[in-house]
Structure formats: structure tokens, C-alpha cells
Amino acid sequence: MTQDELKNEVAKAALQYITPGTIIGVGTGSTANFFIDHLSSMKDSIKGAVASSIDTANRLKRNGIPVVNLNAVDEISVYIDGADESDHNLNLIKGGGGALTREKIVAAVANQFVCIADDSKLVDSLGKFPLPIEVIPMSANYVKYQIINSIGGNPVLREELTTDNGNLILDIHGLEIDDPKNLENRLNNIVGVVTNGLFANRGADILLLGSQNGVNILKS
Ligand code: 5RP
């Protein structure tokens, strides 16, 4: 199977985590897009979906799935989204698509976070994938030098990208992340950082991994 076929298989497998009659959260990216396409087969059994990006909201609407505002819901039963990397404890790097802030908000609200990915995303230690940091535009240089001086790695401004929130992204290359929670907290403390792409304080509860031998289920 190709990587896209593996993504499609895990996306389909995620349908079993949906409780009928509830509101769900939906992530962003190519794996989440496969999920949205499968979700259209269940559109009449859910109350609606909270989207983690404008792209996802548009795709949900095109599939006839009602999109609801997070501030209008009491509860999200499950959040389903992809990842750029996951370690074996289901700490994640996310934000390759630049949607990390809204993704982290929806993940925080959800009762359960089901991550869907092909098995190339599972790593022993996070950091090979450059870690995305969403920053307020006027702070980009300040944050960059704070990272160089106090965190390490090589932060690079992502060219020609403005997030759905009107901000910029720095991608930190060359990090070896041995304590994801600690690094997530330290990055959050830099003035100008809106969100960082480490999902460790709220990692995934379940990771569905598409492999040539089928879908494997990992739990945190
Ligand atoms: C977007 C994300 C995505 O979940 C991540 O980039 C994985 O994308 P894909 O499913 O296309 O491999 O965090 O901000």
C-alpha cells in the first residue's frame, strides 16, 4: 500500500471511535481529509463537528457535515487528527500544516484524542521533524533569538505562510527532544509564542497506525 492508502485505512478505522449523537472535533491535513471523506457516511448520526482550521471547516461543509463553533458546544466526545511525529508514549509533534493552535485548543477540550497516522510517523524520540512554533508577527525575531540562546536548535521562519489566526510560524530544526513536556512548557514561556507544536501535556489517548499488516492500535 502507498502512504496515502495507509492514511486512508486509519482514517476509516477512526470512525469506530465516534459516539452517535455527539459533537466531534476534526483535525487538519491529508490524513484528516481522508477522515472527513469517510465521515460523510455518518453525517446524519453526529450532531456536528468543530473544525481545527478554515480548510477543514470548508471540507466538512462540502461533505454536508454541520460545522459548529467551539464556544457554542458543551462537550466534544472525541478529537480525530493526524500528526507529524508520535513517540511510543503518544507525545506528538503537530503543526506541519500550520494549524497547531486551533488543533491544540480542540484537543484540550475533547474527552478523547484519537490520532491517525501512517507508521512512518512513529519514532523513538521526537525532533527529526522540525518543531513548529506559532508566533505573533512582531515577535518573530525576538522569539527566534530566545530559542537559539535558551532552547537550542535552528529556528527558521516558514516562508509565505500566515496562519488562520494571522500569525507566523517558526520551524525549529535539529532538536533532540528527550523531555517533551518540559520543552513544551519552556517554549510556552517565551513572550510572543502563541503555541508550540509539542502535544505532550495533552498527547493522544489512542494512536491508530496504518501499516502494511493492517491498522495497529497504541494506547497511552
Ligand atoms: C497540521 C497537522 C497535521 O496533523 C500534520 O501535519 C500531519 O499531516 P498529514 O496528515 O498531512 O501527514 O498537524 O497542522
Side-chain angles (χ1 to χ4, degrees):
M1 275 195 272
T2 65
Q3 191 179 27
D4 272 354
E5 285 166 342
L6 296 177
K7 289 180 180 189
N8 187 44
E9 286 304 304
V10 284
K12 197 175 4 167
L15 293 179
Q16 66 190 291
Y17 292 89
I18 297 174
T19 306
T22 65
I23 288 171
I24 69 165
V26 182
T28 298
S30 57
T31 319
N33 283 345
F34 283 118
F35 171 72
I36 295 168
D37 295 345
H38 288 293
L39 185 61
S40 62
S41 68
M42 285 185 71
K43 65 178 174 223
D44 295 328
S45 63
I46 59 167
K47 266 198 205 156
V50 172
S52 63
S53 65
I54 294 169
D55 282 349
T56 288
N58 289 338
R59 196 176 186 100
L60 286 163
K61 287 179 201 158
R62 281 200 303 275
N63 278 277
I65 298 155
V67 174
V68 286
N69 185 317
L70 182 57
N71 286 317
V73 310
D74 294 329
E75 192 174 40
I76 293 176
S77 58
V78 64
Y79 177 55
I80 295 171
D81 194 5
D84 299 300
E85 278 184 353
S86 173
D87 68 15
H88 292 265
N89 295 317
L90 311 198
N91 299 303
L92 311 174
I93 287 184
K94 291 186 46 52
L100 60 161
T101 298
R102 295 187 188 197
E103 292 173 340
K104 203 176 258 197
I105 294 167
V106 185
V109 174
N111 297 339
Q112 187 181 43
F113 179 2
V114 176
C115 184
I116 50 177
D118 68 87
D119 60 0
S120 69
K121 306 287 184 71
L122 185 65
V123 296
D124 288 331
S125 175
L126 299 174
K128 197 166 174 201
F129 190 91
L131 177 63
I133 315 286
E134 179 163 354
V135 299
I136 298 288
M138 71 177 288
S139 73
N141 264 349
Y142 173 76
V143 173
K144 180 174 166 178
Y145 287 107
Q146 287 296 307
I147 290 169
I148 290 170
N149 294 328
S150 67
I151 305 280
N154 177 27
V156 176
L157 184 68
R158 202 180 294 183
E159 295 293 332
E160 292 174 18
L161 184 115
T162 302
T163 69
D164 287 353
N165 314 307
N167 296 319
L168 302 177
I169 300 273
L170 294 170
D171 292 304
I172 314 180
H173 296 250
L175 283 175
E176 283 174 24
I177 303 174
D178 49 19
D179 186 346
K181 279 194 183 123
N182 180 264
L183 182 59
E184 183 178 5
N185 294 338
R186 287 170 65 207
L187 285 165
N188 282 342
N189 265 340
I190 300 175
V191 172
V193 169
V194 177
T195 320
N196 69 81
L198 274 170
F199 285 53
N201 289 295
R202 204 288 181 251
D205 300 304
I206 291 175
L207 172 62
L208 301 181
L209 263 192
S211 77
Q212 299 299 342
N213 303 320
V215 174
N216 298 318
I217 303 174
L218 280 73
K219 292 184 181 166
S220 61

